[in-house]
Amino acid sequence: MRILLIEDEPLIAQAIKTFLERYEFRIDWVASGELASEALASNPFDLVILDLGLPDKDGFDVLHDLRDENFELPVLILTAREATKNKIEGFSLGADDYLTKPFDMEELMARCRALIRRSHGRSKTILRHQGLELNLDQQSLTYKGEPVKLQQLAFRLLTILMERKGRVISKSDLMELLYGWDENAESNVLEVYVSQIRRKTYPSLIRTIRGIGYIIDEPETKPVS
Ligand code: CA
């Protein structure tokens, strides 16, 4: 799950990045409103964490511009401003959640998970597909009741595809969702993880769309007779 973190305070940003990246999140960090707009215009994200006090723009302006372009991307506002007035303004501009500094990292993570889950149209922490059960809270996977061990990035790749079941995800989007900006991964890494997942579950789970990307197909519905 890829998060854009908009925060001008390096210590806070680094702490959030370090903490969340121990789990299923990839964090891309920008320190200004201008860079945030550029990032949002050209990259797929699952969530935005937005600090209100930015050096070049008010966070509310960033939120306003974002909502002009994208109604669905969840936004969590992170700020030292405690006034209720600010919260109301944030929600009226389309923020989905609000956390006041100082905050607890575990709480931030729980809220990030809940927001992303809600935006993907789910209320459960377990994704199911054809005998597979992927538990997001426990970061565990079973197939036909038997535990399946995957490498961390393979697990993340499977999560991305299961959350977007029925949609083809391009290789470049997958690479960005897996790695963000700051790692140079080998171009064949997706093939390696996909084949690991197929080997440990079943071969037809992930379908390759040649030259484009990958998809987990929705199960076929039985015709009604
Ligand atoms: Ca700030």
Side-chain angles (χ1 to χ4, degrees):
M1 308 205 200
R2 190 174 179 198
I3 297 177
L4 180 66
L5 172 61
I6 309 168
E7 166 64 75
D8 63 321
E9 181 54 61
L11 284 178
I12 296 175
Q14 205 50 57
I16 292 174
K17 187 171 162 67
T18 305
F19 185 87
L20 290 181
E21 289 195 336
R22 282 192 230 138
Y23 300 91
E24 71 270 31
F25 304 100
R26 297 290 315 167
I27 310 293
D28 290 320
W29 169 41
V30 293
S32 75
E34 209 48 57
L35 290 171
S37 303
E38 279 174 31
L40 286 163
S42 51
N43 297 280
F45 292 101
D46 296 297
L47 174 75
V48 172
I49 299 175
L50 173 65
D51 173 36
L52 287 184
L54 296 169
D56 57 336
K57 271 187 186 178
D58 193 290
F60 285 137
D61 294 333
V62 175
L63 180 58
H64 184 265
D65 293 350
L66 187 154
R67 282 291 176 250
D68 273 353
E69 302 287 326
N70 185 331
F71 294 102
E72 286 165 13
L73 183 61
V75 175
L76 185 150
I77 288 180
L78 200 58
T79 182
R81 300 179 196 177
E82 285 183 57
T84 314
K85 175 170 134 294
N86 281 322
K87 291 193 187 182
I88 293 167
E89 186 174 359
F91 285 125
S92 73
L93 282 170
D96 299 277
D97 204 354
Y98 213 108
L99 207 51
T100 307
K101 295 173 186 171
F103 57 88
D104 180 85
M105 284 290 178
E106 297 278 350
E107 183 179 3
L108 174 66
M109 181 175 71
R111 284 172 187 250
C112 287
R113 278 190 180 149
L115 286 169
I116 291 172
R117 211 173 288 141
R118 211 187 298 156
S119 79
H120 291 162
R122 294 179 287 115
S123 58
K124 290 179 186 161
T125 58
I126 295 177
L127 305 177
R128 291 190 175 84
H129 179 77
Q130 310 281 68
L132 283 173
E133 268 195 22
L134 190 153
N135 187 314
L136 290 170
D137 284 341
Q138 295 173 5
Q139 293 284 291
S140 64
L141 176 71
T142 60
Y143 179 52
K144 294 183 173 171
E146 296 292 323
V148 176
K149 272 296 219 189
L150 294 176
Q151 276 175 275
Q152 200 191 9
L153 283 173
F155 186 89
R156 209 182 284 160
L157 174 64
L158 180 61
T159 306
I160 292 167
L161 289 169
M162 281 183 72
E163 282 173 340
R164 295 161 178 79
K165 211 187 317 187
R167 282 165 52 193
V168 178
I169 313 298
S170 73
K171 289 184 180 181
S172 60
D173 280 356
L174 281 172
M175 289 298 280
E176 289 197 10
L177 288 163
L178 281 176
Y179 289 99
W181 298 331
D182 47 14
E183 280 174 58
N184 284 318
E186 298 291 325
S187 57
N188 68 345
V189 73
L190 289 175
E191 282 82 355
V192 172
Y193 292 134
V194 166
S195 71
Q196 178 185 130
I197 294 165
R198 285 174 176 152
R199 201 171 59 243
K200 295 199 169 189
T201 57
Y202 59 97
S204 63
L205 169 62
I206 297 174
R207 192 155 60 89
T208 304
I209 309 293
R210 195 180 268 275
I212 300 173
Y214 297 98
I215 182 171
I216 291 180
D217 289 299
E218 294 276 10
E220 280 178 38
T221 45
K222 289 185 186 125
V224 182
S225 54

